[in-house]
Amino acid sequence: MRKFLISATIAAATLSIAGAAVAGPKCTTEPKAKWLTEAQMKAKIAALGYTKIKTFQVSGSCYEIYGTNKAGKKAEVYFNPVTGAIVQDNED
């Protein structure tokens, strides 16, 4: 029984760490009423040189895209939805 409890505790800790690693960044605490519209944000993203946007979505408190950057590399990018600033940029 004791081994089971230890194993269960380790498994729970591992899952919570893995869940934290998957979660995106916190981009804003502002209410959605203050966010840029989807059209405004897409225009900012295009002006930054991102193309071939396969996914544009709200992810937590961010706008998130999957597309291609100026250099032609695949990119997953999180933006502050109020300012349009890049919060996190993950490139391949």
Side-chain angles (χ1 to χ4, degrees), residues 9-32:
T9 302
I10 291 170
T14 301
L15 288 174
S16 67
I17 291 168
V22 172
K26 183 163 185 152
C27 296
T28 188
T29 57
E30 294 289 340
K32 287 193 176 186

Side-chain angles (χ1 to χ4, degrees), residues 31-42:
K32 287 193 176 186
K34 292 189 176 186
W35 289 22
L36 297 170
T37 65
E38 186 173 318
Q40 291 169 321
M41 192 64 226
K42 285 182 177 180

Side-chain angles (χ1 to χ4, degrees), residues 48-66:
L48 290 170
Y50 291 96
T51 60
K52 300 180 185 174
I53 308 300
K54 293 183 180 179
T55 302
F56 177 95
Q57 64 189 15
V58 173
S59 180
S61 63
C62 307
Y63 278 131
E64 178 187 16
I65 65 158
Y66 291 89

